[in-house]
Amino acid sequence: MTGIRKFIKQYGWSYLFILPSLLTFTIFTLAPVLWSLVISFQDYSLVRGGKWVTPIYANYVEAFTLLNGIFLIAIRNTVIYTLFTVVAAIGLGLILASLIQPLSNRLRTFFRAAYYLPAVTSALIIGLTWAYIFNAQWGFATYLTRMFGLPPIRWLSDPDIAFWSVVLSAVLTLPATAIVLFSAAMGAIPQEYYEAADLDGASPIQKWWNITVPLVKSTTLYLVVLYTIASFEVFERIYIMVPSGVGNSTQTIVTQIYNNGFKDFDFGIASAQAFVLFAMIALVAAFQFRVLRSDVEY
């Protein structure tokens, strides 16, 4: 008890300052997450409340078998979307950051601000912009196909093309966060490494591959995890660009959670699918930390 009193006397005021944040987190984040975990084992209704299902894991089984296994299709689409968008974001971010790094401070600051613009733009605006670009009648993509004499393409209404149109829109949206963070990480690399490489006769590509890329590995890990989580949770872009869903071709995990929870009001299934998504993200993130973890210091 003496140790506890001493701790409270010494640090009590500090915890009072963070108490509002802790209460906000507990009420609006932690409590709803724990409650949704409980609901995932119940047949829950807003009117009559929850009733435990039998067996206890029935909602998780039904989540995968509902509507002829549409959730498995959603998982497949989400994984494909994640692979393409994460690789593109990291690759483009690294290349563009490398291109602006040799510029003067003013130009580098200008390009960082310009490239970061998509990050502060509403997802609604970005989604609507790409929906206009892929409009089958007067979109810019349709204009390009007509200019080259190609037949009309139903970018967002053809089940075989709609999903890839969404993926393409995500790939072509500049990875703002990656560019800014990679640029900052490159600026922290000591110039002595590059000077030593110059003395050894290394080419710019060799310096980039053997010095820059390895020394920004910690930033790469952070961005890979960040973009993976964001890609697994993709919803706004698909919901805005393809609101009808085009059958099952554009279904993702989060669109399935939305449909089950807010259209069919099957909160038990939706909560079970949400925790499947949580488990997938946790496993992938753990694997990424294990593979990309870096102890490099400079």
Side-chain angles (χ1 to χ4, degrees):
M1 289 297 293
T2 304
I4 296 176
R5 288 177 180 175
K6 183 178 179 181
F7 179 85
I8 294 175
K9 184 177 180 180
Q10 186 173 359
Y11 300 106
W13 283 104
S14 302
Y15 283 93
L16 282 177
F17 284 111
I18 65 172
L19 183 61
S21 297
L22 287 176
L23 288 175
T24 302
F25 171 77
T26 302
I27 295 172
F28 295 104
T29 302
L30 182 60
V33 168
L34 294 177
W35 182 238
S36 65
L37 178 61
V38 173
I39 292 175
S40 71
F41 298 105
Q42 294 182 337
D43 179 11
Y44 188 84
S45 169
L46 291 175
V47 177
R48 55 180 171 77
K51 178 182 178 182
W52 297 101
V53 295
T54 305
I56 196 67
Y57 52 82
N59 282 342
Y60 287 87
V61 174
E62 190 174 352
F64 286 94
T65 58
L66 189 69
L67 297 176
N68 297 320
I70 188 175
F71 190 54
L72 293 174
I73 298 174
I75 291 176
R76 181 201 64 190
N77 291 342
T78 303
V79 171
I80 294 173
Y81 178 90
T82 300
L83 287 174
F84 276 92
T85 54
V86 171
V87 171
I90 298 301
L92 283 174
L94 190 57
I95 292 171
L96 291 174
S98 301
L99 291 176
I100 68 174
Q101 198 58 31
L103 302 177
S104 64
N105 287 334
R106 285 188 177 182
L107 283 175
R108 192 161 57 243
T109 302
F110 168 77
F111 280 110
R112 283 180 181 176
Y115 285 140
Y116 198 70
L117 190 60
V120 295
T121 304
S122 168
L124 173 64
I125 301 300
I126 293 176
L128 286 174
T129 301
W130 281 107
Y132 284 128
I133 290 174
F134 285 123
N135 186 282
Q137 295 181 338
W138 37 261
F140 181 68
T142 301
Y143 169 77
L144 290 178
T145 57
R146 288 174 179 170
M147 187 173 65
F148 288 102
L150 298 174
I153 299 175
R154 295 182 296 126
W155 299 99
L156 299 177
S157 57
D158 188 332
D160 296 325
I161 299 176
F163 175 73
W164 296 107
S165 298
V166 175
V167 172
L168 181 62
S169 74
V171 168
L172 294 179
T173 302
L174 289 178
T177 305
I179 295 171
V180 172
L181 292 185
F182 273 135
S183 180
M186 291 174 189
I189 298 175
Q191 291 300 309
E192 289 81 358
Y193 296 155
Y194 296 103
E195 293 170 359
D198 287 333
L199 293 176
D200 290 336
S203 67
I205 297 296
Q206 289 175 323
K207 288 188 291 184
W208 181 79
W209 182 254
N210 294 296
I211 298 176
T212 304
V213 173
L215 292 183
V216 297
K217 192 175 180 181
S218 58
T219 303
T220 303
L221 169 60
Y222 171 76
L223 289 170
V224 166
V225 174
L226 186 71
Y227 280 116
T228 298
I229 294 173
S231 298
F232 266 105
E233 296 176 346
V234 61
F235 174 75
E236 297 97 335
R237 184 183 296 270
I238 291 178
Y239 189 74
I240 294 168
M241 293 181 64
V242 198
S244 61
V246 195
N248 298 333
S249 63
T250 57
Q251 292 294 328
T252 62
I253 297 176
V254 179
T255 60
Q256 272 298 291
I257 294 171
Y258 173 80
N259 290 336
N260 287 320
F262 297 100
K263 288 187 176 181
D264 299 335
F265 297 102
D266 196 340
F267 297 106
I269 300 296
S271 297
Q273 291 174 336
F275 276 94
V276 170
L277 173 61
F278 171 78
M280 291 177 62
I281 292 175
L283 289 173
V284 172
F287 174 77
Q288 290 170 338
F289 271 102
R290 186 175 183 85
V291 172
L292 296 175
R293 183 175 53 193
S294 175
D295 298 324
V296 175
E297 294 183 4
Y298 50 87

